[in-house]
Structures are given as C-alpha cells and as structure tokens.
Amino acid sequence: MAPPRVLFVDHAGVLGGAELSLLDVAAALGARARVVLLADGPFRDLLERRGVPVAVEPMGALAGVRKATRLPAPGALLDAVRVLRRLAARAGDVDVLCANSQKAFVVAALAAWRAGRPLAWMLRDILAPPHFSGPNVRAAVLLANTRSARVIANSRATADAFIAAGGRAALVRVVHNGIDAAPFDAVSDDAALAQRRALGVPDGAFTVAMLGRFHPWKGQQVLLDALARLPGVHAIVAGAPLFGEDAFARELESQAVRLGVRDRVHFTGFRDDAPVLLRAADAVVHASVYPEPFGRVIVEGMLARRPVIASNAGGVPEIVEDGVTGLLVPPGDVAALAAAIASLRDDRPRAAAIAERGAAWARERFTVAAMVRGIEEALAT
Ligand code: UDP
Ligand code: GLC
C-alpha cells in the first residue's frame, strides 16, 4: 500500500510546541503532506520555508473559545460550519486528515466526515481538569471514539488520561516528540558565552534558563519564587504570552520586582534561537504546575547538554529519570525547586554527569526519525 497523503489541520498560527513538532513531521513527509492553519502567523512562514504546502482558513469567532469554557458560543459554531466546508473541499485529494490540536480536531472531524475521509488526532493535551472542563473532555472523547480512526498521543500520560476519560484504548498509539540535535550541537561555547553577556548575565553567576509560553500552568511564577531563595542565581526566562495571557506576563514582571529579583531575571520575549539560550545557561528548568503532556523544552535542555530540573507529572517522567538523566521535583514546590537548583550549583561534577547522561539519552530516544516513523506507522495501521 502506498504511504498516505496527509492533510494536517492546526488551529494556531503562533509557535507552540505542537506547531514546532508538526513542522518536523510535515517537512519529513515531503510531497505527501500539506497543512491547513485556522489562524495566520509565523507558523505559516516556517512551514513555507521548510517547503510544506500551507493554506490559512481563519476560523473567526471560534478562535475565542477557550479550553476550559463549557460550551462554544453560537457565532463560533457558525464560523466552524463555514471553515469546515472549505476544509472538506481541500481534503478531496488526501488519504487522511490529521488534527494537531483539540480545537482543530473538532473542525477536522466534521470536515473529514463531509469529505468521506478518515481522521487521525495528534493528542497533545492531557484531557482532564484543570486543563479542560469535564464537558469539554466528554465531548472530545465522544468525538474521538466515534469519528477518529487513530489517536496519536504525545506521551503515555496523555494516552492514559484519554483512556481514563472513556477514550477507546484500541485507537491509541504513543509517539513521543523527536527533536533535531544539530542546531544544539552547532552552538559553540563562545557563542553561548557571548549570549550570556548580551543578556547582561555576570560572568560566573550560576544561571538557569526557562523557555516556554507565558501561562500560569507553565510555572514561570514558581521559578521567580525559587530565585528569591537563591541569592546570586540568575534566570534567563524566554517566551511570550501566545494565547492572550498578557496580564500574566505583566504580573510576572511585577512579581520579580516585588521579590527583589528583577535584576537577576533576564526576560527575552519569544525567541527563535532556543539552542543558544539554553546553552547560555548552567541548568534548564521546567516548572509546570499542572501535568505537562510531554514537554519539548526538557528534551531541548538535554540536547543543549545542560542538567535539567523538571516537574514530576504528566509525560515528564517518561523523559527524565530522577537523579540519572535530570532531576524531578514536585510540581509547584518552590522549596524543592530551589533546593534542586542549589544542588546543581553546589556539585558541578554531578551536574555535568547528569547533563551528559541526559544528552546521550535524548539523542538515542527522542529523534525526529523515530517520531516520523511512529506517526507513519500509526497512520498506516
Ligand atoms: N520556544 C521557543 N522560543 C521561546 C519559547 C519557547 O522556540 O521563546 C519553543 C521551545 O523551544 C519548545 C516549544 O516552544 O520547542 C514549547 O514546547 P513545549 O512542548 O515545551 O510546551 P508547549 O508550549 O507546547 O506546551
Ligand atoms: C503540547 C503540550 C506539550 C508538548 C507539545 C508537543 O503543546 O503542551 O507538553 O510537548 O504539545 O507535543
């Protein structure tokens, strides 16, 4: 059987982990992949630059529906009907539609039904409160059980939450993210040092990096609280509010001032050069307070050959073995995070050993090739 031609559907034009992951998958499928985005943005440019055919079908009022709200507004539903008609027309010459987010899944499910094409869902969210409301979870699981031929979960934890919510286990395949190591290996020590200095980090100051969109569940506030307990430690905090969390971003700034750590926190905004930022730090922190479905930034910290500290929930323990390839701390535990950072600062040989084991593990286990193979197999069976 010829490998399938796939139409990927994503609701976002901005660059979250789901989009960066899809970028590598779609680029690897070459002429067999095309992408429809339900919002315009930098993701379209990146796809185009990687040679992936991409079209934008803006979804209007549907964009205002938040994950945790109970029901979509009537205006949003009308927009969905309009978008799904156009999407169904685009699905005419592919073998399978593949939705890359929960929002895209709803629209793609209807379009696939209308176009008479099978549907797969890249499930990248833990379908449970507090990430999602109960009615939202039930609706998504019902739709998956009745309309989806395959659910491709980004971690065992994501798969288990789907099944625990009533999702059919037979639909599920787990495919972890894979990330290209080459851009990390291309950053020289000199470039990393120049980056540190450009950000205003004093030479010799123990520095952690945290990378991710600004959102209360990503836990930037936990890192700031930990810094207040760690005199002299600096933090590079990269990212931006991608989905309207501007008030939270302002609150982080005030929190840093209030705690008296503002001069040790280097906010960079969203950056498209994650590898050099991670290599500019001595350690990498992931501090999500809710279970992280996967957590690309953890693998990226490993690829950057930095010791990683991560929140022990969701898919994270599938990436990090505590004390071996990284350090795990309970989510939201400021004291534990501060202690973990201090332990890396105070025992450099141990920190280096953890970083080396993490780097080797990430290179072996989280490759783009394995991710693409896993997705191809999941779509073909
Ligand atoms: N990222 C980035 N620049 C930033 C902040 C984040 O390129 O300023 C990238 C980061 O390198 C990672 C992705 O955004 O690849 C975030 O993915 P992750 O799976 O960690 O979390 P998500 O945001 O998808 O929940
Ligand atoms: C989602 C999840 C994140 C995961 C990414 C890629 O954005 O929040 O944990 O790493 O998808 O699958």
Side-chain angles (χ1 to χ4, degrees):
M1 199 178 67
R5 291 161 301 171
V6 189
L7 178 66
F8 293 100
V9 186
D10 193 309
H11 79 280
V14 290
L15 295 172
E19 288 66 41
L20 293 167
S21 180
L22 173 57
L23 177 67
D24 285 334
V25 174
L29 296 194
R32 289 190 290 113
R34 67 187 60 174
V35 176
V36 169
L37 302 182
L38 303 179
D40 204 355
F43 188 28
R44 175 167 60 86
D45 303 331
L46 265 192
L47 285 161
E48 282 170 352
R49 263 189 269 152
R50 295 279 293 270
V52 179
V54 52
V56 178
E57 295 285 4
M59 64 178 177
L62 195 63
V65 179
R66 290 251 179 285
K67 282 205 251 187
T69 55
R70 291 175 72 83
L71 288 171
L77 291 176
L78 286 177
D79 276 333
V81 171
R82 185 175 46 77
V83 171
L84 85 86
R85 280 209 190 106
R86 291 215 292 267
L87 201 53
R90 290 186 183 279
D93 61 350
V94 300
D95 300 303
V96 58
L97 277 84
C98 190
N100 198 47
S101 62
Q102 201 219 6
K103 244 180 223 181
F105 174 57
V106 177
V107 180
L110 294 164
W113 169 71
R114 197 182 162 98
R117 292 286 179 278
L119 172 74
W121 182 15
M122 307 276 248
L123 177 55
R124 301 182 184 275
D125 292 301
I126 300 227
L127 285 182
H131 281 294
F132 292 89
S133 69
N136 198 325
V137 171
R138 283 193 288 280
V141 168
L142 179 68
L143 198 59
N145 283 348
T146 52
R147 305 278 357 143
S148 196
R150 181 65 69 226
V151 172
I152 305 173
N154 64 357
S155 65
R156 190 65 246 168
T158 297
D160 288 347
F162 173 75
I163 295 163
R168 281 167 49 209
L171 294 178
V172 182
R173 300 286 182 277
V174 174
V175 182
H176 287 136
N177 275 232
I179 296 169
D180 185 8
F184 295 85
D185 293 342
V187 179
S188 66
D189 289 343
D190 285 351
L193 182 61
Q195 179 63 60
R196 261 175 93 98
R197 290 180 173 159
L199 290 171
V201 177
D203 286 357
F206 192 82
T207 302
V208 298
M210 182 167 176
L211 195 66
R213 60 198 157 93
F214 280 17
H215 194 289
W217 82 259
K218 288 292 187 178
Q220 282 90 358
Q221 72 280 19
V222 181
L223 174 60
L224 297 189
D225 282 337
L227 270 197
R229 298 174 179 224
L230 296 164
V233 173
H234 283 241
I236 299 168
V237 181
L242 290 190
F243 300 103
E245 300 84 5
D246 297 36
F248 174 66
R250 285 193 298 275
E251 171 48 29
L252 281 179
E253 180 83 37
S254 325
Q255 184 191 355
V257 173
R258 217 166 43 238
L259 291 170
V261 301
R262 184 64 191 86
D263 57 332
R264 295 190 278 124
V265 181
H266 308 270
F267 290 113
T268 69
F270 184 88
R271 294 272 299 245
D272 61 7
D273 53 355
V276 74
L277 283 182
L278 296 175
R279 287 194 44 80
D282 300 295
V284 172
V285 168
H286 163 271
S288 292
V289 297
Y290 298 168
E292 179 76 51
F294 179 76
R296 290 170 58 86
V297 292
I298 300 165
V299 174
E300 290 168 350
M302 291 172 159
L303 292 175
R305 299 184 186 280
R306 294 295 176 258
V308 175
I309 302 168
S311 285
N312 191 6
V316 173
E318 296 166 48
I319 306 174
V320 175
E321 188 182 345
D322 188 29
V324 180
T325 51
L327 296 181
L328 295 177
V329 292
D333 188 332
V334 174
L337 177 59
I341 294 172
S343 77
L344 294 176
R345 178 197 57 193
D346 298 340
D347 190 345
R348 300 299 180 98
R350 177 170 175 254
I354 288 173
E356 274 318 303
R357 286 192 295 263
W361 168 243
R363 276 167 176 73
E364 178 195 323
R365 185 62 188 74
F366 301 108
T367 64
V368 172
M371 168 175 68
V372 172
R373 199 168 50 242
I375 288 172
E376 290 267 46
E377 280 168 16
L379 290 175
T381 52

